């Protein structure tokens, strides 16, 4: 089973804390999202990245959701298991090894300028080392589709048969939603001629044009890797984000400034995270929730920020509302 690592889930919390309207990722954000690049103005302080073999770049855009974990005994690290007893969410010590920037970083702006909202981009970079575990020289990145009309967002959720995020949550009103394409799995790459043909086309183009190293093409996609929605109320903000695991599991890096607590809400295991960040400003802290939905094979994050923040019990009440609603 492949593994998705999540790190620095709130890499962009600093931006939220000082009122800056940018984020990324995945976003992708201190983690694959570090946000490989800003895909556009966002207020959510999240970031995620996937490091599974088949989703090196899906993960990039999913760096937007990571968290960090550090000095607990291994036996005390939080785990969430499915009904079969398999670990789906595992908190682990932070990897002390430095992360080398992926070749994608230097080409991110060109790829995003080329891509239209909601497009999956296949690309080939001449002469660059492939990401760890990459099966092919054909790599992928994606540009999220952002919608501010709930009916249009609802139509997209129904189209892709993904869980429906509500129009209102805890009395907060929908402001915008994002949907991010998913890249093909190893099985799809092996069984569908499109991907091999695309690589052949890009390599042929590279042989003809020696003036550049990046070659790219928009290709069809058939699944969503990540989506989220933002809700507002009198200056306060709630963000609900969903990442599909695709059969993999998640490792969550946890740093000493994050205090996680496993609780149960509506029969579902919830991880409540309280993060203290006096390095950003004295006394500053924030909190958020995570849970795993086995039926959907989806990992949820609910965060609150802005001019006002919901207290712990209100955030747990919101989680209960969302779980009762099918999330």
């Amino acid at each position: 089973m492949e593994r998705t690592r999540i790190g620095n889930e709130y890499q962009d919390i600093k931006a939220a804390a000082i009122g800056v309207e940018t984020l990324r990722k995945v976003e992708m954000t201190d983690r694959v999202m570090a946000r490989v690049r800003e895909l556009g103005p966002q207020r959510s302080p999240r970031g995620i990245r996937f490091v599974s073999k088949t989703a090196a770049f899906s993960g990039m855009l999913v760096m937007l959701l990571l968290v960090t974990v550090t000095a607990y005994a291994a036996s005390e690290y939080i785990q969430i298991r499915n009904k079969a007893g398999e670990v789906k969410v595992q908190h682990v010590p932070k990897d002390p090894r430095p992360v080398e920037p992926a070749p994608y970083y230097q080409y991110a702006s060109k790829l995003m300028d080329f891509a239209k909202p909601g497009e999956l981009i296949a690309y080939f970079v001449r002469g660059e080392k492939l990401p760890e575990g990459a099966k092919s020289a054909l790599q992928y990145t994606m540009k999220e589709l952002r919608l501010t009309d709930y009916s249009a967002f609802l139509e997209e959720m129904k189209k892709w048969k993904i869980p429906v995020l509500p129009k209102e949550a805890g009395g907060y009103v929908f402001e915008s939603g994002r949907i991010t394409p998913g890249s093909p799995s190893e099985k799809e790459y092996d069984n569908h001629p499109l991907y091999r043909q695309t690589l052949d086309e890009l390599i042929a183009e590279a042989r003809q044009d020696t003036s550049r190293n990046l070659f790219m093409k928009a290709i069809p996609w058939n699944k969503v890797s990540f989506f989220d929605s933002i809700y507002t109320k009198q200056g306060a903000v709630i963000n609900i984000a969903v990442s599909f695991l695709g059969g993999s599991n998640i490792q969550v890096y946890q740093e000493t400034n994050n205090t996680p607590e496993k609780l149960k809400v509506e029969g579902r295991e919830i991880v409540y995270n309280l993060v203290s960040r006096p390095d950003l400003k004295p006394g500053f802290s924030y909190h958020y929730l995570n849970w795993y939905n086995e039926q959907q094979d989806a990992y949820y994050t609910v965060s609150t920020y802005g001019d006002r923040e919901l207290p712990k019990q209100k955030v747990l009440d919101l989680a209960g509302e969302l779980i009762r609603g099918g999330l």
Side-chain angles (χ1 to χ4, degrees), residues 107-120:
Y107 298 108
S109 61
K110 290 182 179 179
L111 286 162
M112 290 302 104
D113 288 343
F114 175 80
K116 296 177 182 178
E119 281 191 337
L120 175 66

Side-chain angles (χ1 to χ4, degrees), residues 57-288:
F57 276 100
S58 313
M60 270 184 165
L61 98 102
V62 173
M63 218 175 189
L64 297 156
L65 282 171
L66 313 187
V67 173
T68 347
V69 177
T70 65
Y72 297 86
S75 61
E76 295 181 42
Y77 286 139
I78 286 175
Q79 293 182 337
I80 295 179
R81 297 173 180 268
N82 60 18
K83 291 181 180 178
E86 300 168 328
V87 175
K88 297 299 295 184
V89 180
Q90 169 74 67
H91 283 212
V92 298
K94 184 177 181 181
D95 190 339
R97 296 173 298 176
V99 178
E100 295 184 7
Y104 173 86
Y105 291 139
Q106 62 179 303
Y107 298 108
S109 61
K110 290 182 179 179
L111 286 162
M112 290 302 104
D113 288 343
F114 175 80
K116 296 177 182 178
E119 281 191 337
L120 175 66
I121 303 300
Y123 67 95
F124 166 72
V125 179
R126 177 180 19 224
E128 291 285 2
K129 179 181 177 181
L130 294 177
E132 182 180 354
K135 182 175 180 177
S136 167
L138 187 67
Q139 300 297 302
Y140 308 93
T141 189
M142 51 289 289
K143 191 167 188 176
E144 63 200 19
L145 174 65
R146 183 174 182 271
L147 301 164
T148 56
D149 177 70
Y150 181 77
S151 61
F153 186 49
L154 178 61
E155 184 176 340
E156 289 292 320
M157 290 186 285
K158 290 181 177 180
K159 171 184 174 182
W160 295 108
K161 298 180 180 179
I162 57 180
V164 173
L165 300 182
K167 187 173 183 178
E168 293 188 11
Y172 287 57
V173 179
F174 174 86
E175 180 181 271
S176 65
R178 297 178 298 168
I179 292 180
T180 300
S183 60
S185 65
E186 286 185 0
K187 182 177 180 180
E188 290 171 316
Y189 181 86
D190 288 337
N191 297 336
H192 201 300
L194 167 68
Y195 308 112
R196 295 184 183 278
Q197 290 173 3
T198 299
L199 179 58
D200 289 344
E201 289 177 16
L202 296 180
I203 290 176
E205 186 179 349
R207 286 172 177 163
Q208 294 178 359
D209 186 350
T210 58
S211 65
R212 56 194 174 98
N213 293 326
L214 175 64
F215 302 87
M216 50 197 166
K217 178 182 179 180
I219 60 174
W221 53 283
N222 58 15
K223 61 188 175 185
V224 172
S225 65
F226 171 87
F227 71 112
D228 73 343
S229 55
I230 290 175
Y231 304 83
T232 59
K233 179 182 178 181
Q234 298 176 345
V237 181
I238 288 173
N239 179 248
I240 304 170
V242 189
S243 291
F244 293 108
L245 304 193
S248 61
N249 58 61
I250 278 184
Q251 283 191 345
V252 179
Y253 293 142
Q254 185 172 316
E255 293 180 349
T256 51
N257 60 13
N258 180 31
T259 304
E261 179 183 5
K262 188 159 72 170
L263 306 169
K264 273 205 172 182
V265 175
E266 296 293 329
R268 182 80 50 81
E269 288 185 314
I270 298 283
V271 180
Y272 171 79
N273 303 273
L274 176 62
V275 184
S276 176
R277 294 300 305 271
D279 54 313
L280 297 182
K281 58 185 178 184
F284 178 69
S285 65
Y286 61 92
H287 59 183
Y288 60 98

